[in-house]
Amino acid sequence: MELIPEQNLSRLPENSALKQQMLPAHKLKFSITTVLSIYIATGVFCIAVGTILLFSAKNIREIEINYTNICANCAEMRENALNFDKECTCSIPFHLQEKMKGDVYMYYKLYGFYQNVQQYSLSRSNRQLLSKDIWDVQDCAPFKVSHNDTPIVPCGAIANSMFNDTIILSYILNSSIHIRVPMLKNGLAWWTDKYVKFRNPNAINLSNEFAGSAKPPFWRKPVYELDSDDPGNNGFLNEDFIVWMRTAAFPTFKKLYRRLYRVQYFIEGLPVGNYSFNISYNFPVTRFQGEKSVVLSTLIWSGGSSLFLGLTYMMTGLLTLLASAVIWIIYLMKKKNTSMSLQESMQDLPCRKAEVDNAVSEPKVSAVSQ
């Protein structure tokens, strides 16, 4: 018997059921009835959920107005970079035919804007946005420093391209009374973004903390003056800024801009009537052949008006039921083949028995008699 060298004994696994792979095991063996029941139940469940989601999506009230061509004069003016400091506004009247009950949300929607390009999505400084080091601009190319080598805060391509149109919704009560629809600027960003991923410096006066920095080239105001009405909505904690910094996966996307403040005429939502969007046009899109819209929408328990989730459930359910039908057909075919083979074997059994009997009854001739 070969002895194991003492220096190798430490490498041996422990003599336990787990280490020696001696744990009791049970091999699951599902019957065809169990498998089909699981598949059919899953398919029916997915179809039911998909149907509920699709019917729920029909209850959403949504209106979208594409103002790229409506504000063509402003779009043309924004093509020239020398006009960056000039104001350009346009008014878009529309009629709301159905009442939008409950909470109403305003979005801006961009077409053909690729936030998923790798160089673009990586052009940011998370250390800066967390206020760990507001002068950290190492990963922000090509918007790291200004023309006089002053660090840009916030730096990077994402921050520099922030959506900056101003959209005001007005309710036209009659020809002489226009009521500005009250909209809230807070409650727009994800909780994890506002309270985990973004932080302001621990200073009472943000302008002093950001002294010595430069604003992004495409911005009109520095980061500490983004909201003149609410001091708490400035700096890196500005919710419009936070919403924009969460990059979209597809070139067509919408981002939350405002939400309805339900008071006075708007306690139950937006009533039927005439409205108008008053837009300060700043964000250029025609230079990359893009478009932009403003969207008013209500929400349901499952979210927005997208049919994707409902259709996904429906397709999953249908494919599961199709798979169960295929499994059942294959099972029947194999069962039929097995049954036919067994019948053939039973039919051949008497013939084989006769051959055996004949072979036993034949006289054996010995070698001696020959």
Side-chain angles (χ1 to χ4, degrees), residues 296-316:
L296 290 175
S297 177
T298 58
L299 296 181
I300 56 173
W301 61 273
S302 61
S305 61
S306 176
L307 302 177
F308 176 78
L309 187 60
L311 292 175
T312 301
Y313 268 99
M314 289 288 290
M315 290 301 300
T316 302

Side-chain angles (χ1 to χ4, degrees), residues 124-138 140 151-155 199-201 209-210 236:
R124 60 186 291 167
S125 173
N126 291 324
R127 287 181 55 82
Q128 184 187 78
L129 298 175
L130 283 169
S131 295
K132 292 183 177 180
D133 183 4
I134 63 172
W135 310 112
D136 179 21
V137 296
Q138 182 177 358
C140 292
I152 295 175
V153 179
C155 64
R199 281 282 186 275
N200 270 337
E209 193 68 23
F210 290 111
F236 298 141

Side-chain angles (χ1 to χ4, degrees), residues 40-159:
I40 293 173
T42 303
V44 171
F45 172 77
C46 290
I47 290 176
V49 173
T51 303
I52 294 172
L53 290 173
L54 291 177
F55 275 103
S56 299
K58 292 184 178 181
N59 295 326
I60 293 177
R61 298 290 176 264
E62 182 176 290
I63 180 172
E64 177 180 348
I65 297 178
N66 190 315
Y67 62 94
T68 308
N69 296 324
I70 298 176
C71 303
N73 294 334
C74 293
E76 184 178 355
M77 190 189 77
R78 286 287 173 251
E79 286 291 326
N80 189 347
L82 298 177
N83 297 325
F84 74 96
D85 58 342
K86 295 181 180 180
E87 291 283 346
C88 187
T89 60
C90 63
S91 180
I92 307 171
F94 66 96
H95 180 73
L96 193 62
Q97 297 179 351
E98 280 189 78
K99 181 179 181 180
M100 302 183 76
K101 295 181 180 180
D103 295 329
V104 181
Y105 299 86
M106 182 190 294
Y107 301 84
Y108 57 85
K109 188 173 183 179
L110 297 180
Y111 295 84
F113 192 96
Y114 290 83
Q115 281 195 312
N116 56 356
V117 177
Q118 184 179 18
Q119 292 84 350
Y120 176 89
S121 61
L122 295 179
S123 181
R124 60 186 291 167
S125 173
N126 291 324
R127 287 181 55 82
Q128 184 187 78
L129 298 175
L130 283 169
S131 295
K132 292 183 177 180
D133 183 4
I134 63 172
W135 310 112
D136 179 21
V137 296
Q138 182 177 358
D139 299 326
C140 292
F143 299 100
K144 299 167 63 173
V145 294
S146 63
H147 63 281
N148 57 358
D149 292 336
T150 304
I152 295 175
V153 179
C155 64
I158 307 176

Side-chain angles (χ1 to χ4, degrees), residues 82 202 204 215 301 352 369:
L82 298 177
N202 294 324
I204 299 176
K215 65 179 180 62
W301 61 273
R352 294 179 181 177
S369 62

Side-chain angles (χ1 to χ4, degrees), residues 36 39-44 47 314-330:
L36 290 179
Y39 270 75
I40 293 173
T42 303
V44 171
I47 290 176
M314 289 288 290
M315 290 301 300
T316 302
L318 291 174
L319 290 175
T320 305
L321 292 180
L322 179 62
S324 63
V326 172
I327 292 173
W328 177 246
I329 292 172
I330 293 174

